């Protein structure tokens, strides 16, 4: 699997992309494949604030729930509406169309401390 | 079998239990009885209870006829001796009956979704409060004093330990309906939900829409509960409510000294993921045939553990099945006719006594009864169990009692009761 | 391999009741009204009277009978054969229990009828209380909780009330990682945070780990004994000492009490409070998911906090005592699932003291027999004598791409209900098997043959297992679509 170079990754299997102070957050291909068929995604509403390292939503398969942790903190500017009606998109395109939320990052300098694609690839390899 | 296990005696099976933990005596319980002796023992016990009395008790547990077909169905081993239908392929019988149950509860209550049942009405009420707290992110519960006193007791037990303050609002002294002025005064921006019962504990039908408007104006949810499910056949469904919870004992479930009964919980579509308890959904099998399965299980304790919507695990499947058979036997016409008969019987009785409240009552009502205990004592001499003296739950209503009449109440017994009352 | 316990036969199709409805049909009859008719609208007000119940069924009595009878044949049941669900204790449900629960004086007793006319019902309660106290070795008991999880909540609220009376309810409940999901869920509902305690390499409570976790913020440890591996917690007494030394308590989840009746008593090994599942140990029917009964037994110091009302014998009569200032209040209206209590007492009477112990011995023997017969074919991660159930792992089969859930579905084709799948969580790919005392050696041997056949199918024709069940009327169902697009009620086309 190709993990995009421009993203950063967490040990809890989220990815984050930063552009003009706005962080787009999603879960990785590895995370979706561990969960299996995703049936529901619970996300915060725009205006909510998320805290780095704290859970901000969850992803459900038929028999499991996984919390999603915020790789960066800030105010939610957008939640991906597509997932409300088509949770299966998260299985199909986790690094693209099925991003979860966008956040106005309160501390953009946190970004480089996360894993890069190569490090994440190694991490996932080691975990499985 | 012992040899296959490499053991010489059955006692060795328990070598793993440390001696300190072992029982040092034979259980002090008499040796087993034959089937005849067991039946005889329980018949003797049953004979110490009221048998052969006419009864005017309601107050959350009602005497309604149980069609014979109900026990015929629930005695089938396939329903009686099966487990929760987690294995869909060999549980389609139970799953289908629950799907029909959920559907009929929605049709009766005007809600969009209903779960597979709760323990009973009293435990469903705190579950509605916890659900309202999850939905609104508020913490105060406002409950009418005319909700069944025992339901409110159970609510307080649950709420206290979750830091959810429970406030009560009163009833109107003339109508017996909720006191809208008191409701207005107590509703705040912190109120998660307003809980009412209709017909309320006094048997009076509430103005649900007026209460809903007030709750919603403050951003609170309206929870509608009922203890007498037969009323659903005749009363306007509480479409303005957000959550409906109630007791189905009236639907072919024996009074059985207070349980087991079956509770329901239903809600508007948008709250489906906050609903506690089991839910059955429709889907297809690999051959494309219609099939049912338990669904949205991620809300539940065995998956979400400490974050579950509730710790509830059991539903009341077999009891809910009694209610399902009952609803299908009575059907569209029958539930209405049954409710209408109840109304007529109760109004006949009320016409011979002095009702305490002037609001519209369904099949029970509060009668003015000075010396209520003495009246009941005299009724017992006539083989009649009278009503429930309300002083026990409402000190201000001393000298009244709650009386119920159903399709099983005979005119002659009502006449006798009135005679004793008025003598 | 052709399964020997089953073969195909006709099974009736059946539509939903709504799809069979036709206007005017009825399956009921009411007596003629012996009082004047009442106009509903005039009596209640037009706004309070509903229109006809839209789309509600209208069918005849025989249609109702056929409907449910046909549906019933789509279920598996104990009455059809072994139901080896671990932790669920699917034992035979004696029919005498059903008969006595329906005796008029018991079935039609109203909870508010005068106590003088309820002495029989109260005596049933008293006798069951006494028997359960003798079985658990504890000091006091409430029969009010409606089910196991409800009993857990009651028990933890008792702990909380006791600690509160001492000054602070404390903050935390400890649960082993092998615990039932209801344990942490209960602790959450009771207002506690939950901390997981890792089991040791034997699958037991790790005393060192426990000692590190217990401090003055801990209210209680919730423990299942025998644990969910079916093994007696050999250090239970020491574990209880660790908790007690810090003023904390031990709650026992009594789901597995059927392994202990007549052998060991929780009151004798340090338990402060526990629940019993009447629908497991005491044979009341599961009924497709309830009703249950979840009595909670406690040591003396928790007695003042038990739910109201408490049963008291005054002179010769029984009475309900509501004057209990320290009580946690009510957890359910009235006095509990009385009908379930009647059935449980009938079970105790049928067995008697010696018979109850025999049932335990047979249940434990059956489970050990299965362990010995199946261990050549399945991995046994915790290989030691077990009590009433045994937990294998699918590791050997998973290497061939077949998981516990797949084999469970294949078991259906052999005429058995699946075992419990993927629980406890501390065993990778768990197969949790509980035969109960109900099963004869003949039924157990058929089960063993089926399991061995499946193990060899995994080697030779894994596809057969992966696509099972093949013999059922309904094949594998699409749970994913059910969850993505929930349809939880019928609507007209």
């Amino acid at each position: 699997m190709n993990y995009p170079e421009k993203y950063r990754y967490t040990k809890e299997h989220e990815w984050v992309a930063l552009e003009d102070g706005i962080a787009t957050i999603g879960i990785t291909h590895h995370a979706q494949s561990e969960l299996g068929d995703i049936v529901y995604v619970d996300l915060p509403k725009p205006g909510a604030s998320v805290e780095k390292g704290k859970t901000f939503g969850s992803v459900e398969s038929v028999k499991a729930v996984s919390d999603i942790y915020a790789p960066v903190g800030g105010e939610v500017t957008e939640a991906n509406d597509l997932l409300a009606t088509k949770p299966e998109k998260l299985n199909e395109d986790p690094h693209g169309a099925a991003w979860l939320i966008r956040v106005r990052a309160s501390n953009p300098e946190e970004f480089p401390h996360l894993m890069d694609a190569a490090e994440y690839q190694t991490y996932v390899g080691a975990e499985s | 079998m012992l040899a296959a296990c490499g053991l010489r005696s059955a006692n060795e099976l328990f070598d793993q239990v440390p001696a300190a933990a072992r029982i040092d005596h034979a259980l002090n319980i008499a040796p087993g009885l034959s089937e005849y002796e067991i039946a005889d023992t329980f018949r003797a016990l049953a004979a110490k209870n009221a048998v052969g009395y006419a009864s005017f008790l309601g107050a959350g547990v009602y005497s309604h006829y149980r069609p014979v077909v109900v026990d015929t169905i629930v005695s089938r081993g396939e329903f009686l001796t099966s487990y929760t239908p987690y294995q869909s392929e060999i549980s389609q019988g139970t799953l289908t009956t629950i799907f029909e149950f959920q559907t009929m509860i929605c049709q009766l209550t005007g809600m969009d979704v209903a779960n597979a049942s709760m323990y009973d009405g009293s435990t469903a009420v705190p579950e509605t409060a916890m659900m309202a707290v999850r939905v609104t992110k508020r913490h105060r519960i406002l409950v009418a004093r005319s909700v069944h006193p025992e339901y409110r007791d159970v609510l307080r037990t649950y709420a206290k330990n979750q830091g959810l303050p429970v406030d009560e609002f009163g009833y109107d002294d003339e109508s017996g309906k909720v006191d809208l002025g008191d409701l207005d005064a107590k509703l705040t921006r912190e109120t998660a939900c307003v809980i009412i019962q209709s017909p309320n504990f006094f048997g009076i039908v509430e103005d649900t829409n007026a209460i809903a408007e007030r709750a919603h104006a403050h951003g609170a949810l309206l929870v509608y509960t009922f203890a007498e499910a037969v009323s659903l056949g005749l009363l306007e469904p509480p479409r303005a409510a957000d959550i409906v919870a109630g007791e189905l004992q009236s639907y072919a479930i024996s009074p059985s000294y207070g349980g087991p009964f079956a509770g329901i919980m239903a809600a508007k579509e948008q709250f489906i993921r906050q609903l506690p308890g089991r839910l059955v959904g429709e889907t297809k099998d690999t051959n494309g045939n219609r099939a049912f399965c338990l669904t949205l299980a991620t809300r539940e304790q065995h998956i979400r553990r400490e974050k579950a919507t509730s710790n509830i695990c059991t539903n009341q499947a077999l009891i809910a099945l009694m209610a399902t058979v009952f609803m299908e036997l009575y059907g569209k016409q029958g539930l209405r006719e049954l409710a209408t008969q109840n109304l007529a019987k109760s109004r006949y009785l009320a016409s011979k006594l002095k009702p305490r409240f002037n609001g519209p009552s369904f099949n029970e009502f509060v009668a003015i009864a000075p010396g209520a205990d003495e009246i009941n004592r005299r009724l017992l001499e006539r083989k009649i169990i009278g009503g429930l003296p309300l002083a026990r739950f409402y000190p201000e209503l001393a000298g009244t009692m709650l009386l119920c009449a159903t399709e099983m109440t005979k005119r002659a017994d009502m006449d006798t009761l009135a005679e004793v009352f008025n003598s | 391999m052709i399964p020997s316990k089953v073969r195909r036969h006709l099974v009736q199709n059946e539509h939903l009741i709504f799809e069979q409805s036709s206007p005017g049909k009825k399956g009921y009859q009411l007596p003629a009204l012996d009082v004047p008719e009442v106009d509903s609208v005039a009596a209640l007000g037009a706004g309070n009277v509903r229109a006809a119940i839209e789309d509600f069924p209208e069918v005849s009595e025989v249609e109702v009978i056929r409907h449910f009878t046909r549906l019933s044949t789509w279920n598996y049941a104990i009455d059809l054969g072994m139901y080896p669900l671990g932790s669920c204790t699917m034992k035979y449900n004696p029919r005498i229990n059903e008969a006595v629960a329906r005796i008029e004086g018991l079935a039609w007793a109203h909870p508010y009828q005068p106590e003088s006319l309820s002495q029989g019902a109260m005596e049933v309660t008293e006798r069951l209380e006494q028997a359960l106290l003798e079985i658990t070795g504890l000091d006091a008991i409430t029969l009010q909780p409606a089910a196991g999880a409800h009993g857990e909540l009651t028990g933890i609220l008792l702990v909380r009330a006791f600690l509160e009376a001492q000054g602070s309810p404390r903050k935390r409940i400890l649960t082993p990682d092998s615990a039932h999901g209801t344990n942490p869920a209960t602790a959450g509902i009771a207002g506690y945070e939950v901390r997981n305690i890792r089991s040791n390499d034997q699958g037991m409570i790790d005393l060192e780990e426990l000692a590190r976790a217990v401090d003055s913020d801990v209210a209680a440890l919730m423990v299942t004994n025998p644990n969910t591996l079916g093994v007696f917690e050999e250090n239970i007494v020491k574990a209880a000492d660790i908790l007690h030394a810090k003023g904390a308590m031990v709650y026992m989840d009594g789901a597995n009490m059927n392994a202990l009746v007549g052998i060991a008593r929780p009151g004798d090994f340090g338990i402060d409070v526990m629940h019993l599942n009447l629908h497991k140990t005491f044979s009341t029917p599961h009924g497709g998911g309830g009703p249950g009964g979840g009595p909670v037994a406690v040591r003396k110091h928790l007695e003042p906090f038990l739910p109201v009302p408490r049963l008291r014998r005054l002179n010769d009569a029984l009475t309900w005592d509501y004057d209990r200032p320290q009580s946690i209040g009510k957890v359910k209206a009235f006095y509990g699932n009385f009908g379930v209590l009647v059935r449980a007492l009938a079970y105790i009477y049928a067995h008697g003291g010696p018979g109850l112990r025999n049932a335990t011995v047979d249940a434990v023997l059956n489970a050990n027999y299965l362990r010995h017969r199946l261990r050549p074919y399945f991995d046994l991660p915790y290989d030691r004598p077990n009590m009433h159930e045994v937990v294998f792992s699918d590791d050997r089969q998973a290497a061939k791409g077949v998981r516990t859930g797949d084999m469970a579905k294949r078991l259906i084709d052999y005429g058995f209900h699946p075992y419990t799948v993927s629980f406890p969580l501390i065993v990778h790919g768990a197969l949790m098997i509980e035969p109960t005392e109900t099963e004869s050696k003949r039924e157990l041997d058929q089960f063993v043959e089926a399991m061995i056949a499946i193990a060899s199918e995994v080697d030779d024709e894994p596809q057969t297992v992966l696509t099972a069940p093949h013999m059922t009327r309904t094949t594998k169902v699409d749970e994913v679509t059910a969850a993505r697009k929930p349809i939880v009620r019928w609507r007209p086309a």
Side-chain angles (χ1 to χ4, degrees), chain B residues 112-114 131 267-276 279 295-296 299 309, chain C residues 486-488:
Chain B
D112 302 313
V113 293
M131 178 170 159
K268 295 271 173 63
E269 182 92 52
Q270 67 260 37
F271 303 132
I272 186 168
R273 285 177 185 275
Q274 296 301 336
L275 203 62
L279 263 175
T295 192
L296 304 186
R299 298 163 298 118
T309 51
Chain C
I487 305 171
V488 294

Side-chain angles (χ1 to χ4, degrees), chain B residues 87 89 286, chain C residues 402-414 418 454 457 461-472 474-477:
Chain B
Q87 298 290 341
E89 298 87 346
T286 51
Chain C
V402 179
R403 304 302 312 268
T404 174
D406 303 319
M407 293 186 283
K409 292 293 186 198
R410 182 59 174 153
L411 197 50
I412 294 171
D413 287 334
Y414 285 83
I454 292 168
E457 285 173 346
E461 39 172 335
Q463 271 310 314
T464 307
V465 182
L466 289 169
T467 51
H470 305 285
M471 302 277 286
T472 49
T474 295
T475 53
K476 225 171 229 171
V477 310

Side-chain angles (χ1 to χ4, degrees), chain A residues 3-96:
Chain A
Y3 289 95
E5 294 289 340
K6 60 181 178 178
Y7 294 175
R8 290 290 178 274
Y9 300 86
T10 70
K11 289 185 172 171
E12 288 80 28
H13 308 287
E14 292 89 12
W15 58 259
V16 53
L18 192 66
E19 203 170 333
D20 300 333
I22 299 290
T24 302
I25 298 169
I27 63 167
T28 66
H29 167 78
H30 175 83
Q32 70 76 23
S33 87
E34 285 287 301
L35 271 162
D37 293 318
I38 287 162
V39 298
Y40 184 68
V41 184
D42 186 26
L43 297 175
K45 292 197 169 59
S49 65
V50 301
E51 205 179 320
K52 179 176 153 54
K54 293 277 163 65
T55 166
F56 68 82
S58 60
V59 176
E60 299 183 10
S61 64
V62 171
K63 292 199 168 110
V65 187
S66 276
D67 285 330
I68 321 163
Y69 297 88
V72 295
E75 187 196 317
V76 178
T77 59
E78 216 180 326
N80 192 348
D81 291 338
L82 174 72
L83 299 175
T85 49
K86 292 195 158 53
E88 58 271 25
K89 282 286 172 203
L90 205 40
N91 292 115
E92 294 160 11
D93 193 8
H95 297 154

Side-chain angles (χ1 to χ4, degrees), chain C residues 82-100:
Chain C
M82 181 170 162
Y83 217 121
L85 271 176
S87 215
C88 301
T89 314
M90 298 298 286
K91 59 167 75 177
Y92 170 61
N93 308 135
R95 291 316 199 272
I96 180 65
N97 302 0
E98 297 305 308
V100 295

Side-chain angles (χ1 to χ4, degrees), chain B residues 118-126 151 225-226 245-248 261-264, chain C residues 333:
Chain B
M118 311 292 287
Y119 299 137
D120 70 353
S122 74
T123 50
V125 168
Y151 293 13
T225 68
F226 59 87
E247 172 59 65
L248 291 187
F261 298 161
I264 66 110

Side-chain angles (χ1 to χ4, degrees), chain C residues 43-286:
Chain C
L44 296 167
N48 282 330
V49 178
R50 77 179 303 157
I53 311 163
E54 215 176 325
D55 302 319
F56 216 67
E58 292 178 89
V59 289
S60 69
E61 178 175 317
V62 67
E63 284 171 323
V64 169
I65 286 275
R66 283 192 182 146
H67 179 61
F68 288 101
T69 304
R70 287 170 183 163
L71 294 182
S72 75
T73 64
W74 303 351
N75 272 1
Y76 188 80
I78 300 172
D79 283 2
L80 288 167
M82 181 170 162
Y83 217 121
L85 271 176
S87 215
C88 301
T89 314
M90 298 298 286
K91 59 167 75 177
Y92 170 61
N93 308 135
R95 291 316 199 272
I96 180 65
N97 302 0
E98 297 305 308
V100 295
R102 284 176 168 81
I103 296 173
E104 188 189 344
L106 300 174
W108 283 87
H110 190 288
Y112 291 148
Q113 70 193 25
E115 284 182 357
S116 60
L117 293 174
S118 306
Q119 292 293 306
M122 294 162 92
E123 205 172 319
V124 166
T125 308
E126 183 188 43
R127 292 186 190 190
L128 184 61
E129 285 187 356
Q130 285 166 354
L132 296 178
L133 288 177
E134 170 64 12
I135 287 166
T136 57
L138 287 159
D139 302 320
I141 190 165
T142 173
L143 307 183
Q144 199 175 100
H150 201 216
E152 285 179 31
L153 176 64
T154 306
I156 295 302
L157 292 183
L158 293 171
V159 168
R160 192 181 177 97
F162 174 85
L163 292 172
E164 216 156 16
Q166 308 267 301
S168 161
R170 304 191 173 192
K171 290 186 188 144
R172 200 170 303 128
I173 297 280
L174 307 177
T175 58
D177 48 11
S178 57
H180 293 115
T182 48
N183 296 173
T186 296
I189 301 282
Y192 283 110
E193 57 182 76
V194 179
R195 177 159 164 202
N196 246 304
I197 301 293
R198 235 187 10 252
S199 302
N200 67 16
D201 56 5
Q202 298 291 302
M204 304 276 211
I205 299 172
D206 186 325
L207 288 179
E208 285 171 23
E209 172 96 5
L210 181 69
R212 274 195 295 276
V214 179
D215 58 28
S216 57
D217 280 340
V218 169
L221 168 73
M222 292 183 88
V223 60
T224 306
N225 190 29
N227 64 21
T228 54
L229 294 170
V231 177
F232 194 92
E233 287 283 358
E234 57 192 1
N235 290 322
I236 187 72
V237 177
K238 286 178 196 145
D241 288 344
I242 291 172
L243 274 294
H244 292 156
K246 292 275 162 80
M249 278 167 266
V250 185
Y251 182 95
M252 184 173 125
D253 178 332
N256 295 341
M257 188 65 201
N258 58 312
L260 300 183
V261 176
I263 302 294
R265 306 197 305 172
D268 298 339
F269 55 72
I271 302 303
D272 298 282
V273 44
M274 69 175 294
H275 78 264
L276 294 159
N277 301 81
L278 297 181
H279 47 289
K280 293 180 180 178
T281 306
F282 297 95
S283 86
T284 73
H286 279 78

Side-chain angles (χ1 to χ4, degrees), chain B residues 28 30 33 48 50 76 82 87 89-90 94 100 103 150 157 232 236 256-257 282-283 286 315 337 341 345, chain C residues 28 31 34 48 50 67 72 75-76 107 109 112 117 123 134 288-289 330 334 349 352 409 475 478 487 490:
Chain B
N28 184 19
L33 301 180
K48 296 185 186 180
R76 284 193 68 93
S82 55
Q87 298 290 341
E89 298 87 346
I90 46 171
T94 296
E100 292 182 353
T103 302
E150 300 217 26
T157 305
L232 296 171
E236 178 64 16
S256 194
Y257 205 49
E282 181 183 330
T283 183
T286 51
N315 61 353
E337 195 183 329
Q341 273 212 6
K345 295 269 191 173
Chain C
Y28 73 97
D34 62 358
N48 282 330
R50 77 179 303 157
H67 179 61
S72 75
N75 272 1
Y76 188 80
Y112 291 148
L117 293 174
E123 205 172 319
E134 170 64 12
K330 291 189 77 72
F334 317 117
Y349 281 159
K409 292 293 186 198
T475 53
D478 180 359
I487 305 171
W490 175 85

